Amino acid sequence: MTAPPKGAKMKIGNTIPGGSGLGDLLTEMRRASPLVQCITNYVAMNIAANVLLAAGASPAMVHAEREAGEFAAIAGALTVNIGTLSPDWVAGMHRAADGANQAGKPWVLDPVAHFATSYRRDTVAGLLALRPAIVRGNASEIIALAGGMSAGQGVDSGDTVASAEASARSLAGRTGAVVAVTGAVDFVTDGKRAVRIEGGSPLMPRVTALGCSLTCLVGAFAAIRPADPFAASIAALAIFAVAGERAGRVSEGPGSFGWRLLDALAALDPAGLEREARISEAVQA
Amino acid sequence: MTAPPKGAKMKIGNTIPGGSGLGDLLTEMRRASPLVQCITNYVAMNIAANVLLAAGASPAMVHAEREAGEFAAIAGALTVNIGTLSPDWVAGMHRAADGANQAGKPWVLDPVAHFATSYRRDTVAGLLALRPAIVRGNASEIIALAGGMSAGQGVDSGDTVASAEASARSLAGRTGAVVAVTGAVDFVTDGKRAVRIEGGSPLMPRVTALGCSLTCLVGAFAAIRPADPFAASIAALAIFAVAGERAGRVSEGPGSFGWRLLDALAALDPAGLEREARISEAVQA
Amino acid sequence: MTAPPKGAKMKIGNTIPGGSGLGDLLTEMRRASPLVQCITNYVAMNIAANVLLAAGASPAMVHAEREAGEFAAIAGALTVNIGTLSPDWVAGMHRAADGANQAGKPWVLDPVAHFATSYRRDTVAGLLALRPAIVRGNASEIIALAGGMSAGQGVDSGDTVASAEASARSLAGRTGAVVAVTGAVDFVTDGKRAVRIEGGSPLMPRVTALGCSLTCLVGAFAAIRPADPFAASIAALAIFAVAGERAGRVSEGPGSFGWRLLDALAALDPAGLEREARISEAVQA
């Protein structure tokens, strides 16, 4: 689907950088069933909550200015997605991110189509200043966030993940956040280390809000690994890639893929996950 | 899944307290196809509307302050769910509840995670003062609403229904509302009488917003039995339990359960419903 | 399901008024994958985006007053649906329609239940004054919009499409918009010409927001035929009717129909579309 990724294909396999086995992380997350506060867009609300429930986490969609900060102290992690914006919601996002920071909880930023309008550009700049632990976006979003020229127009990426790798490294270096670029082959970097994750299905971009849902799943792993956002991001992306690949094999189209992905997430066994995950180190070109 | 319910297992079967047969109530609801005004949360909007349509009712999602009260006079019943709150919406909820009260229409309150933040606690107190005919919640929500200490944190219940029975009776006695606690075995009381309803599927808590959707279905039966909220609640819960049990038997996971529940609701026949419903009187311990 | 449509059954078949083949239009739309700005209701958000993605277009849900006008200049077309209203959103709708008009982009109005409350009546009057290229509604909505007495109460139509044909012609004549009335048999008119489109499934009204989703699909074809809203409307409705008919044949209920429609839209081949589409000229009675 895209240009083959550059760099080594050395399989990392079942050990995530940081020392945990991938299957163990899934088991640990399910046991903890972390409460994830998701401020996401109207399109993603339902499917994101269902992705978290299917995987084993506990979603809570709490965004109002009057309660978002208070709730962030209760939740294990926060995710903020700017897909459908309005001033009230942006105020709630700021409160929530402040609350998470004060409580020492990690938060994840999903800068949906931030390059499309001046309102989005302003909003994402304000949120980046609140130091997310992780930024997850598609290639166009990450390229534009790093200051590059992206081919994106709407919410779909017009660029390949491979073309966004340098931007991701640069953005991670500048902000201190782990940057996860998702697409046909995912790329995750903390500015120094980087991995690629293969898997998923060509049906994924045909179903709306799966990227947004993945952001929430990243939050679930950030909640159980608050000190290691790099490992948390890799775990969430690898799980989504394996479940997506399994779902894709038995789906007839985007409609069936939507619910089969949920079934696959719920059925995912730690051993099968480790066997099927394809994580490789990405050596800088 | 939970502690076995206390009290008699005497089957009530096909006669709901109040005198109607369960199958007849389903037939009557489908014939009337009552217009149910649902003020619900963003996560539940779509699935709740689909649950009502599948069961045979007519949903209308109308929440704006400028029209919510006017619409409540047109609708057969109103349901109010505080899952995703904001000041504009709370204003609309008050207008709608006032409008329903003035028009003599029953309304149902779903106090989602009302214990989680001060904003929610304030909101639910204000709404309870507007005298809902029925309150439907999970065990943690009902325990906290009755003034007890619940184990809930987010939107998922941390308590069993059995542990919420005394709270439900107390809340019903204090407010005059019928209280429905849903979980592995449901419990419904008007403060004097009480029943338990068995059925459903362990997959139900793995799909988001099914409780919220059930609240809307309670509204559909409240619309055709405005003077008997106890019977209306039991009918809705029993139908959901039977459809959920049927769907659960043929589902491979939470994704397939979501759509199979809708198919099961639409296919539910009055005779099968009466045969499979498991309603029993709950004698006070 | 409804009274048989009056007028000629002359099959128009694979040539849409305006000269394009139906299959060619589908291919052209998929190749262009037009960016469609959808201001739709909370119930429809997810399914509408999925309908556009499955069919081959690129949805963007952008409604905030601060960005809706700016985005309308980027998008290929705009759709505005008043299903769930609030003042902020109405302001965004106006900005978006103004932006579309200034940029020469077509926009589509979906006047959901506009007769139900005074707030809706005011809102739809304000939007109609901004000259939509196309109005799509159910029979009750179109009858009421043309000044007639409709049998509608909530969001479901209480009237047959056949009974709305004269209203549709009158509304098209008065506003200059193409008017599309959807139901068991659809009717489209520009005030002079008119066609009927057969197909679909009795399950369609049992699934929420499919009409809203169809409005967004009309936007996708308006984006590639901005000068010919009559052809664009017919193409979108015919595609939905064929995909709906295919999905209906293999569905067990409204739950399965929901995802099978998406699969059918994605799998729709131009040749099969032309073979199965049933478009006929509607001669004025």
Side-chain angles (χ1 to χ4, degrees), chain B:
Chain B
M1 305 289 289
T2 58
K6 292 173 290 182
K9 271 292 188 67
M10 185 186 74
K11 167 130 181 170
I12 294 183
N14 56 9
T15 305
I16 298 279
S20 299
L22 187 55
D24 290 344
L25 265 175
L26 175 60
T27 301
E28 186 183 334
M29 190 278 287
R30 284 177 174 159
R31 197 167 293 141
S33 192
L35 184 62
V36 184
Q37 179 179 4
C38 305
I39 304 186
T40 192
N41 62 73
Y42 300 120
V43 183
M45 287 266 174
N46 186 274
I47 181 71
N50 274 330
V51 160
L52 285 190
L53 285 171
S58 179
M61 273 57 189
V62 178
H63 52 262
E65 193 179 356
R66 277 194 55 184
E67 63 173 351
E70 183 182 349
F71 198 87
I74 304 170
L78 165 72
T79 69
V80 175
N81 172 303
I82 66 162
T84 52
L85 278 180
S86 60
D88 294 355
W89 281 65
V90 175
M93 291 171 186
H94 277 257
R95 285 285 177 94
D98 283 337
N101 284 338
Q102 281 162 30
K105 307 292 176 71
W107 74 277
V108 187
L109 174 63
D110 188 336
V112 181
H114 66 92
F115 46 76
T117 64
S118 62
Y119 185 37
R120 280 167 195 258
R121 284 189 292 275
D122 292 351
T123 299
V124 90
L127 290 168
L128 259 186
L130 297 175
R131 304 184 318 280
I134 302 165
V135 177
R136 192 217 61 82
N138 66 32
S140 293
E141 288 157 357
I142 298 303
I143 290 171
L145 210 54
M149 289 293 295
S150 86
Q153 271 212 318
V155 299
D156 303 316
S157 183
D159 302 277
T160 64
V161 173
S163 70
E165 293 193 358
S167 295
R169 289 184 197 266
S170 149
L171 184 65
R174 174 160 67 84
T175 62
V178 166
V179 176
V181 194
T182 58
V185 175
D186 302 333
F187 178 79
V188 184
T189 181
D190 65 356
K192 297 180 204 91
R193 297 166 295 172
V195 299
R196 296 195 188 91
I197 300 159
E198 294 175 76
S201 158
L203 285 171
M204 288 178 119
R206 303 291 300 272
V207 181
T208 197
L210 291 190
C212 309
S213 302
L214 174 51
T215 293
C216 297
L217 189 62
V218 170
F221 285 91
I224 63 160
R225 282 289 183 276
D228 194 349
F230 188 54
S233 301
I234 294 169
L237 268 55
I239 285 164
F240 217 62
V242 171
E245 193 159 40
R246 288 184 177 188
R249 275 198 292 268
V250 289
S251 295
E252 298 149 65
S256 37
F257 186 82
W259 62 266
R260 285 191 186 278
L261 176 65
L262 297 174
D263 281 3
L265 283 166
L268 193 59
D269 55 308
L273 171 62
E274 297 212 349
R275 203 167 48 237
E276 296 170 39
R278 297 201 299 283
I279 307 169
S280 58
E281 212 184 335
V283 179
Q284 203 157 356

Side-chain angles (χ1 to χ4, degrees), chain C residues 47 51 203-205 207-215 240 257-258 261:
Chain C
I47 182 69
V51 160
L203 285 171
M204 288 178 119
V207 181
T208 197
L210 292 190
C212 308
S213 301
L214 175 50
T215 294
F240 217 61
F257 186 82
L261 176 64

Side-chain angles (χ1 to χ4, degrees), chain A residues 35-39 58-63 67-69 71-73 75-80 96:
Chain A
L35 183 63
V36 184
Q37 179 179 3
C38 306
I39 303 185
S58 179
M61 273 57 189
V62 177
H63 52 260
E67 63 173 352
F71 198 86
L78 164 73
T79 69
V80 175

Side-chain angles (χ1 to χ4, degrees), chain C residues 36-259:
Chain C
V36 184
Q37 179 180 4
C38 305
I39 303 184
T40 192
N41 62 74
Y42 300 120
V43 183
M45 286 267 173
N46 185 274
I47 182 69
N50 273 330
V51 160
L52 285 189
L53 284 172
S58 178
M61 274 57 190
V62 177
H63 52 260
E65 193 179 356
R66 276 193 55 183
E67 63 172 353
E70 183 182 350
F71 198 86
I74 303 169
L78 165 73
T79 70
V80 175
N81 173 301
I82 66 162
T84 52
L85 277 180
S86 61
D88 293 355
W89 281 64
V90 175
M93 292 171 186
H94 277 257
R95 284 287 177 93
D98 283 337
N101 285 338
Q102 279 162 31
K105 305 292 176 68
W107 74 277
V108 187
L109 174 63
D110 188 335
V112 181
H114 66 91
F115 46 76
T117 64
S118 62
Y119 185 37
R120 281 166 196 260
R121 284 189 292 275
D122 292 351
T123 299
V124 89
L127 289 170
L128 259 186
L130 297 176
R131 304 185 318 282
I134 302 166
V135 177
R136 191 217 62 84
N138 67 31
S140 293
E141 288 157 357
I142 298 303
I143 291 171
L145 210 54
M149 289 293 294
S150 87
Q153 271 211 321
V155 298
D156 302 317
S157 183
D159 303 277
T160 64
V161 173
S163 70
E165 292 194 359
S167 295
R169 289 185 197 267
S170 149
L171 184 66
R174 174 161 65 85
T175 62
V178 166
V179 176
V181 195
T182 58
V185 175
D186 301 332
F187 178 80
V188 185
T189 180
D190 64 357
K192 298 180 203 90
R193 298 166 295 172
V195 300
R196 296 194 188 92
I197 299 159
E198 294 174 75
S201 158
L203 285 171
M204 288 178 119
R206 303 289 301 272
V207 181
T208 197
L210 292 190
C212 308
S213 301
L214 175 50
T215 294
C216 296
L217 189 61
V218 170
F221 285 91
I224 63 160
R225 282 289 185 276
D228 194 349
F230 188 55
S233 301
I234 295 169
L237 269 56
I239 284 165
F240 217 61
V242 170
E245 193 159 41
R246 289 184 176 188
R249 274 198 293 266
V250 290
S251 296
E252 297 148 65
S256 37
F257 186 82
W259 61 266

Side-chain angles (χ1 to χ4, degrees), chain A residues 17-259:
Chain A
S20 299
L22 188 55
D24 290 344
L25 264 175
L26 175 60
T27 301
E28 187 182 332
M29 191 276 287
R30 284 176 173 159
R31 197 166 294 144
S33 192
L35 183 63
V36 184
Q37 179 179 3
C38 306
I39 303 185
T40 191
N41 62 73
Y42 300 120
V43 183
M45 287 267 175
N46 186 274
I47 181 71
N50 273 330
V51 160
L52 285 191
L53 285 171
S58 179
M61 273 57 189
V62 177
H63 52 260
E65 193 179 357
R66 276 195 54 185
E67 63 173 352
E70 184 182 349
F71 198 86
I74 304 170
L78 164 73
T79 69
V80 175
N81 172 302
I82 66 162
T84 52
L85 277 181
S86 60
D88 293 355
W89 281 64
V90 175
M93 292 171 187
H94 277 257
R95 285 285 178 94
D98 281 339
N101 285 338
Q102 280 161 31
K105 306 292 177 70
W107 73 278
V108 187
L109 173 64
D110 188 336
V112 181
H114 67 92
F115 46 76
T117 65
S118 61
Y119 185 36
R120 280 166 195 260
R121 283 189 293 274
D122 292 351
T123 299
V124 90
L127 289 169
L128 259 187
L130 297 175
R131 303 183 320 277
I134 302 166
V135 177
R136 192 218 61 83
N138 66 31
S140 293
E141 288 156 357
I142 298 303
I143 291 171
L145 210 53
M149 289 293 294
S150 88
Q153 271 211 317
V155 298
D156 303 316
S157 183
D159 302 277
T160 64
V161 172
S163 70
E165 293 194 358
S167 295
R169 289 184 196 265
S170 148
L171 183 65
R174 175 161 65 84
T175 62
V178 166
V179 175
V181 194
T182 58
V185 175
D186 302 332
F187 178 80
V188 184
T189 181
D190 65 356
K192 296 179 204 91
R193 296 165 296 172
V195 299
R196 296 195 187 92
I197 299 160
E198 295 174 75
S201 158
L203 285 170
M204 288 178 119
R206 302 291 300 271
V207 181
T208 197
L210 292 191
C212 308
S213 302
L214 175 51
T215 293
C216 296
L217 189 61
V218 170
F221 284 91
I224 62 160
R225 282 288 183 278
D228 194 350
F230 187 55
S233 301
I234 294 169
L237 269 55
I239 284 165
F240 216 62
V242 171
E245 192 160 43
R246 288 184 176 188
R249 275 198 292 266
V250 290
S251 296
E252 297 150 64
S256 37
F257 185 82
W259 61 265

